[in-house]
Amino acid sequence: MEYNDLIRTRESIRSYDPARPVEPDKLTLILEAGRISPSAANRQPREFWLISSAPMLETIRECYHRDWYKNAPHILAVVGKKDEAWVRTADGYNSVETDTAIALTHIILAAENEGVGACWIAAFDEVKLRKALDLKENEVVFGITPLGYPVPGFSKKGEKIRKAFQDVVKYL
Ligand SMILES: Cc1cc2nc3c(=O)[nH]c(=O)nc-3n(C[C@H](O)[C@H](O)[C@H](O)COP(=O)(O)O)c2cc1C
């Protein structure tokens, strides 16, 4: 899809058909978009954990209580590695959250480009998620997304509710 159309028509999808897994080649393209995303000092302090197996899905579904989320055939977690991220010397800023956010943005746009629905989720139960994924101390998840096709008959809202251009852009 043309880039401007892609960013204008992408929406968070909160409808998933549990009976329709995403084709492996499409999943690979989507994961590849995460892999090639930029990161501070090219440290690439993140991994992409795709959950599609029934027992793991069952566990990860307990981390966020929405029916639409529970219907997704795949859940993707971008796992950041704090100890691998770039750190700014002057003030100790660690880029892991930024790097994982960029990767997940790449992934969500790539999913849209493949006609696959996604929705950034941050409001998960962090304690349950850590346990479900068996995260190590240096590993952190800021966002997960379901991946899947919407149920038949689903249609997007087709509108972007955003602040006005003049309210968010400054020319200095
Ligand atoms: C950092 C971040 C966290 C989000 N967390 C959630 C969430 O936990 N649950 C949810 O349903 N949507 C979540 N969203 C989706 C936003 O609500 C959505 O992107 C926003 O309302 C704009 O709508 P759009 O994505 O359809 O353009 C999140 C989005 C971002 C960027």
Side-chain angles (χ1 to χ4, degrees):
M1 199 188 293
E2 196 273 325
Y3 181 71
N4 279 300
D5 293 337
L6 182 74
I7 58 172
R8 283 177 183 284
T9 56
R10 183 213 54 81
E11 287 181 14
S12 292
I13 301 300
R14 299 183 180 88
S15 161
Y16 294 95
D17 184 346
R20 197 176 163 206
V22 179
E23 299 80 351
D25 58 328
K26 287 195 180 183
L27 288 172
T28 301
L29 278 175
I30 292 165
L31 292 164
E32 178 67 356
R35 188 187 72 84
I36 65 171
S37 66
S39 59
N42 203 21
R43 291 285 181 86
Q44 306 166 60
R46 66 285 186 279
E47 289 180 0
F48 308 98
W49 295 8
L50 181 68
I51 297 149
S52 309
S53 70
M56 271 306 285
L57 278 173
E58 201 178 311
T59 314
I60 199 110
R61 281 172 180 154
E62 287 309 308
C63 303
Y64 185 65
H65 296 288
R66 301 284 186 285
D67 287 341
W68 56 265
Y69 164 76
K70 294 183 181 190
N71 283 335
H74 314 276
I75 308 284
L76 178 77
V78 179
V79 179
K81 311 249 175 181
K82 280 189 279 189
D83 59 345
E84 293 179 18
W86 176 74
V87 176
R88 190 163 52 207
T89 316
D91 60 356
Y93 157 75
N94 181 305
S95 70
V96 68
E97 184 170 356
T98 307
D99 294 332
T100 54
I102 291 168
L104 189 47
T105 304
H106 262 221
I107 282 167
I108 287 174
L109 288 173
E112 175 73 22
N113 198 41
E114 297 304 319
V116 172
C119 179
W120 191 304
I121 294 173
F124 49 77
D125 182 322
E126 204 266 339
V127 174
K128 281 189 183 168
L129 189 93
R130 287 200 77 81
K131 205 165 166 217
L133 295 177
D134 194 21
L135 296 182
K136 300 192 192 85
E137 204 181 319
N138 67 312
E139 293 173 333
V140 61
V141 173
F142 297 103
I144 59 175
T145 182
L147 291 170
Y149 294 103
V151 292
F154 171 85
S155 55
K156 286 182 170 179
K157 291 187 213 137
E159 60 166 353
K160 283 254 169 271
I161 301 166
R162 298 292 191 263
K163 292 178 182 176
F165 188 89
Q166 65 272 18
D167 294 340
V168 296
V169 177
K170 285 188 186 182
Y171 299 101
L172 306 175

